[in-house]
Amino acid sequence: MQLTKLTVEGFKNLRHVTLVPDAAYNLLLGENAQGKTNLLEAIWALTGCRSFRGTKERDYLPLTGGGLEVTAQFQDARRAQSLRLVMRPSGSAPEKKFWCNEVPRKPSDLFSIFHCVVFTPEDLALVSGGPERRRSFLDLCSAQLHAPVLSLVRRYQLALHQRNAVLKQHLPAAQVFGMLDVFDKQLVSLGTELSIQRAAYIQQLSAVCVPLYSQIAGGREAISLHYQSGIYGRDAHMHLPDAATPDIAAQYGEKLQHARPSDLVLGHTSAGAHRDDLLLYIDGKSAREFGSQGQKKSLALALKLAQAQIYSQRRRESPIVLLDDVMGELDDARQAVVSTVVSKMQVFVTTCHPAALVSPTAGKRFLLKQGELTPWEENLPEIP
């Protein structure tokens, strides 16, 4: 997949930005707070997903007032396509509309149309943060390969929310059990399928990420990945089947039934796919608890690079790769590994310090200043 043209007007501080990127390497230069990350965020917004920075949608709008528009032309494995996002102020929440090839589309549709992989310094939380971050990573990655996973996750969360609402009411047992039976049936069906999807992705992730990390770490240490399932236990990816069976569905239902008395006391659902985690180990020890800062950065990088590589292998086309202020923090050897992995992908890299990068000789460089893009003829001189 390749972005061939991008136009941004009014996205945060960006004004009159028109970008015709290189097919391979694009370096976005500029001082802090000039709009480099905003430009990556505008590209990411076209996936229909929430901001990778956690930005609320109303904060996409320019501080000076008015609306925004982001348009893109891109080439996928089949044909040339176009995307357009328009947002306008409207009460407490802005009005947001998407078009693909000038046909109105829902945000959820775009995720299966326009594919990006983004890596930021905040992705260190994949290793050092809580289970929720890793679950979201697994579900997002899996959905890039199999779009219905997004709907599966939403339906599971809705059923879980409804079950928890019943538990919090502290109704008489005879009344609450009948209601819980309804939601338990939904959670068994949805949770079993979600566990299978996560297990399948972790198998792929382990096969790619383990050698990648070894390469990044120079072979000095080894990692292992483990699926800690809230229902099926540790290393569930090693024994869960490719499709749901009555036996594994029954196992899920038994866990819910066994936890029901404590759930009634606690007021929430204590067992299920929402308690899953991706356990990461370095040389047999928990990376989260015992890994150094450098090891955690390398492992987070390996996870994101593996995501891009798996997508390329399975979909037979590359995602667009967005690297936000991360390359300069890596030594030359680690930068070389990244460059090798993404060598056949279109990459956008932001930095304030170009001298710290091991940049390829080919590609384009763009300067952002106060939300505007310097024309190519005025770009910076050759980077030493």
Side-chain angles (χ1 to χ4, degrees):
M1 185 165 292
Q2 182 185 129
L3 185 65
T4 55
K5 185 176 181 180
L6 179 74
T7 303
V8 184
E9 181 62 56
F11 191 98
K12 295 189 174 181
N13 76 326
L14 298 177
R15 298 175 297 163
H16 320 308
V17 171
T18 298
L19 179 71
V20 180
D22 185 73
Y25 185 82
N26 298 276
L27 183 59
L28 305 178
L29 304 167
E31 299 297 327
N32 289 324
Q34 300 303 303
K36 303 185 301 299
T37 300
N38 292 346
L39 187 56
L40 295 191
E41 201 171 7
I43 297 173
W44 178 260
L46 296 174
T47 67
C49 294
R50 290 178 296 178
S51 166
F52 60 78
R53 303 168 79 183
T55 304
K56 295 179 180 178
E57 288 187 344
R58 64 173 177 268
D59 294 328
Y60 285 165
L61 296 169
L63 293 175
T64 53
L68 68 85
E69 184 168 341
V70 181
T71 60
Q73 297 173 16
F74 69 99
Q75 178 76 45
D76 62 18
R78 299 176 300 158
R79 56 175 176 156
Q81 299 198 67
S82 65
L83 287 171
R84 182 158 60 100
L85 162 64
V86 173
M87 289 180 65
R88 298 283 182 262
S90 178
S92 59
E95 178 187 12
K96 179 175 67 174
K97 294 182 179 179
F98 286 99
W99 291 263
C100 180
N101 303 323
E102 298 306 319
V103 176
R105 303 297 291 263
K106 297 183 295 185
S108 57
D109 295 337
L110 302 181
F111 192 72
S112 60
I113 297 172
F114 188 66
H115 296 115
C116 297
V117 171
V118 60
F119 184 46
T120 75
E122 288 73 27
D123 283 318
L124 182 64
L126 282 174
V127 181
S128 59
E132 183 178 358
R133 184 65 180 263
R134 290 182 288 277
R135 284 194 300 271
S136 295
F137 170 71
L138 290 174
D139 295 339
L140 179 71
C141 294
S142 185
Q144 285 188 321
L145 304 181
H146 187 56
V149 171
L150 276 184
S151 174
L152 178 64
V153 172
R154 292 191 185 102
R155 286 184 290 139
Y156 179 88
Q157 291 173 340
L158 177 60
L160 178 66
H161 176 76
Q162 291 171 328
R163 188 181 194 271
N164 286 340
V166 171
L167 292 169
K168 290 175 183 176
Q169 292 179 39
H170 299 290
L171 299 170
Q175 183 178 355
V176 75
F177 282 178
M179 299 172 70
L180 290 178
D181 286 342
V182 174
F183 295 120
D184 284 4
K185 185 177 180 179
Q186 295 178 35
L187 285 178
V188 166
S189 175
L190 297 169
T192 300
E193 180 61 29
L194 185 55
S195 299
I196 288 171
Q197 293 292 337
R198 288 172 176 171
Y201 191 81
I202 289 175
Q203 285 185 326
Q204 299 175 70
L205 186 64
S206 181
V208 176
C209 190
V210 170
L212 259 179
Y213 182 86
S214 179
Q215 193 177 358
I216 291 172
R220 294 184 296 274
E221 53 209 31
I223 63 165
S224 59
L225 282 63
H226 307 269
Y227 180 19
Q228 179 67 50
S229 168
I231 297 294
Y232 304 107
R234 183 186 167 98
D235 288 328
H237 65 294
M238 301 297 290
H239 56 78
L240 277 174
D242 295 334
T245 65
D247 287 344
I248 63 170
Q251 186 177 345
Y252 202 112
E254 289 169 6
K255 286 277 189 177
L256 286 179
Q257 285 286 338
H258 185 265
R260 185 176 286 188
S262 60
D263 289 352
L264 288 167
V265 174
L266 295 170
H268 66 263
T269 305
S270 60
H274 57 288
R275 304 299 295 271
D276 289 354
D277 197 2
L278 171 62
L279 305 181
L280 305 168
Y281 283 75
I282 300 176
D283 288 340
K285 296 181 180 180
S286 168
R288 181 186 180 189
E289 295 179 26
F290 300 105
S292 68
Q293 197 74 352
Q295 288 174 322
K296 291 177 180 178
K297 286 182 180 180
S298 294
L299 182 48
L301 177 63
L303 288 168
K304 298 298 287 192
L305 290 176
Q307 176 192 1
Q309 197 163 327
I310 291 169
Y311 177 89
S312 297
Q313 292 169 351
R314 287 288 304 276
R315 297 295 293 263
R316 296 185 179 180
E317 70 172 351
S318 299
I320 296 168
V321 178
L322 312 176
L323 301 176
D324 185 28
D325 200 26
V326 294
M327 293 293 280
E329 297 184 358
L330 305 175
D331 58 29
D332 290 358
R334 286 173 169 79
Q335 287 192 47
V337 173
V338 176
S339 298
T340 299
V341 172
V342 303
S343 60
K344 296 182 179 181
M345 305 177 190
Q346 186 181 42
V347 182
F348 293 82
V349 180
T350 68
T351 186
C352 298
H353 309 289
L357 302 186
V358 180
S359 301
T361 55
K364 291 184 178 180
R365 293 168 292 112
F366 303 93
L367 176 66
L368 274 160
K369 188 174 182 180
Q370 296 182 352
E372 296 190 9
L373 195 67
T374 299
W376 170 246
E377 291 78 12
E378 300 177 26
N379 266 338
L380 296 180
E382 288 297 319
I383 301 170

